[in-house]
Every structure is written in C-alpha cells, then in structure tokens.
Amino acid sequence: MIDIGSLRALAAIEQYRSVIAASEAMGFSPSAVSQQVKKLEREAGFAVLERRGRGVLLTERGVTLAAYGRRILAELEELQSTLLADPAKPSGQLRVVAFSTACRGLVGPLLGKLAATESDLNVSVLAEDPREAVARVANGEADLGLVHNWNSVPLVIPEHLSLEWLCEDIADVLVHSSHPLAGRSGVTPADLVDEQWISTPHGAICNEALLRIFADLGRVPDIKVYDPDFATHIALVEQAAVVALVPRLGRPVLPRDVVAVPVTDPVQARQVGIVHRRTMTASPGIRYVSELLRKIAASGPGEP
C-alpha cells in the first residue's frame, strides 16, 4: 500500500525541484522528506529520484508516479472539503494570501466580521503580490487568494484554479495641493509625462501598470523612488517630492495637502477577485469567506 504522505513528498520535490526546498514548503526536515521518498521507493519497487550534480531529478517512473499522486491528493482534498466537512458550520484552518491594499480594504473587514460572529474558522493571512498569490494557491500553500488584474496588465490564472471577480478598483494620481494639476477634474497620460514618480518595485504588477500608461507615448516615467507600501507613496506626495498612482481600495483618508486626481483616456482601473483551487469549490470555509468578501466588496471598498 502506497502511503499518502510519501506521494505528497514526491509531488513537493517535483514542484520545488529539490529535497531541501520541498522540506521547507512542507514544514519538515530534509531527512524526513528523504525518508518518505525511500519508503515510497520500497513500496513501489523502483527508484523515483536520481542524483544530478548537487540536486535531484525525478526518474521517468517517478514523474508518472508524481502525476498520479497529484490527482490522488486533489481528490483527497475535494473529499475532505466536501463530504467530510459540515456544510452548515465552517471550521478549521483557512490560509488566505492577498495583496496589501486588499488586506486593508477587504481582509480587515472580513476578519472583523468573523470575530463578531465567533466563527470556528481560523483564518491566517499573508500579504503577497498577485502573481505570488496565484502561485501559492495553485501549489497548495494557500487556500484562497485575493488578486488584482490591471486593465493594462493581465494576470494569468492556471486552469485548475477558479476565479471570481469581486469589484473594480480605480487608481488616481496623487499630487501635492500646490501642484499645477491639483485643481484639475482629470488628467491624461500626456499631462503626466514630465512628472517625477514614486512606484512599487520593479516587476510588481502596479509598477508595470504605471509603465504601461506611457507606452503609447513612447516615454518611460521618471521614477525617483521605489517602495512597496502605498502609505509611503502618500507620505512622499505630502512632502511635494513626487507624484504617485494609488488605487482607492484600502486607501486611507488623504492628508490635507494631498489631492487625488482621476486619470482618463484611459481610466486606470484593476479588477479585484478571489481565486481558489477547483477542488475546494464546495468547501464550507471557502464558500463562507467568499460570500463575506462579496458583501464587503459590494459595500463599495473602491469608492474614493
């Protein structure tokens, strides 16, 4: 009889490309994962790993066994989240991964509602950029992800994930009250080409969205500061040092000297949604949290 834990270890090694990385993801020691693999090889009667330099590769039979293992683990997850769960009483651990503004604008109210109802659902939260959030949910490191998709930067969702859009989040350009654009009812990309900016780091989706604003103009924005926290963006705008593109979701009340100016032609917007593995669709916890997030999003978290 092949052990489920051994299959899980093999699938993790295939996913993370090494025993050490797989052990870190699973929360075990490398020796414990290696023992699981050796046990699997004894049960299967053939080698599933081979040494290659300092790392390991799955043998041809190991790749086939890992594919079977993933299907079995997915079916087991579906069984545990549906037939073995009480549909009327969500409980247990639910791992949520969300981008930072969603943590403030959606997850914060979610945790407040869960606390008010004294739910038996234990929700843990990790802040990540949407691409990393999708990867964590896809790989089983998280159960539900809050992601965003800029109208200029599409987000790729694997086929085994389910995606539901919750709301649209508009982004404004923030300028100091003394700035010449502060009194405008709206600005276009052409109005912004000569500004000095603060941006999220290179490679982040919000950084790419800022770059795309000027693509049709053949220009690159003059970015003076890179920082992942929009609170820092607001603080530097308040000092009249830079301008910033900041979404409305989770945005605090702006300081007196910071003015939000809408961007037009095109409007800068992103769709905000939730992702989870299709095997978890009938999970009481996923359903309950998703419904709460729908209600919170419907209350207008993206309004200015």
Side-chain angles (χ1 to χ4, degrees):
M1 181 70 70
I2 292 180
D3 180 70
I4 290 293
S6 298
L7 283 177
R8 185 171 282 111
L10 181 64
I13 292 171
E14 182 187 41
Q15 175 183 333
Y16 294 104
R17 309 287 182 173
S18 78
V19 172
I20 293 176
S23 66
E24 290 175 350
M26 296 177 69
F28 298 128
S29 67
S31 62
V33 173
S34 296
Q35 289 300 318
Q36 288 281 10
V37 172
K38 290 178 182 178
K39 179 181 179 182
L40 180 60
E41 290 179 327
R42 289 195 301 270
E43 292 169 340
F46 55 80
V48 297
L49 293 181
E50 61 182 36
R51 287 284 178 186
R52 182 65 59 90
R54 294 186 177 182
V56 294
L57 290 176
L58 270 67
T59 63
E60 182 178 359
R61 281 182 155 187
V63 170
T64 301
L65 187 57
Y68 274 107
R70 287 195 303 274
R71 291 199 293 271
I72 291 170
L73 292 169
E75 290 175 357
L76 179 60
E77 178 178 70
E78 189 170 13
L79 172 65
Q80 291 173 330
S81 66
T82 55
L83 187 61
L84 301 183
D86 184 350
K89 190 177 181 181
S91 60
Q93 177 77 19
L94 189 72
R95 300 163 298 172
V96 175
V97 57
F99 57 99
S100 60
T101 49
C103 284
R104 294 194 293 270
L106 295 172
V107 177
L110 168 69
L111 296 178
K113 288 181 179 294
L114 290 174
T117 58
E118 298 183 350
S119 169
D120 290 330
L121 200 59
N122 182 19
V123 175
S124 61
V125 184
L126 175 67
E128 288 273 27
D129 203 53
R131 291 186 183 120
E132 285 70 29
V134 168
R136 286 186 183 275
V137 175
N139 295 336
E141 297 175 58
D143 303 307
L144 183 144
L146 277 159
V147 299
H148 63 67
N149 188 47
W150 284 91
N151 50 10
S152 58
V153 187
L155 182 66
V156 178
I157 305 295
E159 290 185 0
H160 70 290
L161 297 190
S162 174
L163 168 66
E164 175 189 351
W165 295 120
L166 293 176
C167 61
E168 183 180 67
D169 184 24
I170 305 295
D172 302 304
V173 169
L174 303 188
V175 300
H176 191 268
S177 58
S178 64
H179 194 284
L181 297 176
R184 298 274 293 271
S185 60
V187 292
T188 67
D191 298 319
L192 302 168
V193 291
D194 295 322
E195 299 298 331
Q196 295 184 337
W197 294 84
I198 181 171
S199 169
T200 53
H202 284 291
I205 293 181
C206 291
N207 170 256
E208 292 187 21
L210 176 60
L211 297 177
R212 295 286 179 92
I213 291 178
F214 304 100
D216 291 341
L217 300 175
R219 295 285 295 273
V220 176
D222 182 9
I223 301 174
K224 295 298 184 183
V225 182
Y226 291 91
D227 191 285
D229 192 345
F230 283 123
T232 304
H233 295 208
I234 294 170
L236 266 65
V237 172
E238 187 179 15
Q239 300 301 318
V242 291
V243 302
L245 182 71
V246 179
R248 296 173 184 174
L249 178 63
R251 193 168 76 194
V253 176
L254 296 176
R256 182 181 59 185
D257 287 332
V258 175
V259 178
V261 183
V263 184
T264 61
D265 194 28
V267 171
Q268 295 303 304
R270 58 184 185 176
Q271 295 294 319
V272 177
I274 51 179
V275 294
H276 59 76
R277 293 181 298 285
R278 295 186 186 276
T279 54
M280 297 286 284
T281 298
S283 161
I286 291 289
R287 290 177 130 183
Y288 183 59
V289 167
S290 296
E291 180 59 28
L292 287 178
L293 287 170
R294 289 186 201 103
K295 292 178 179 178
I296 294 167
S299 68
E303 293 299 314

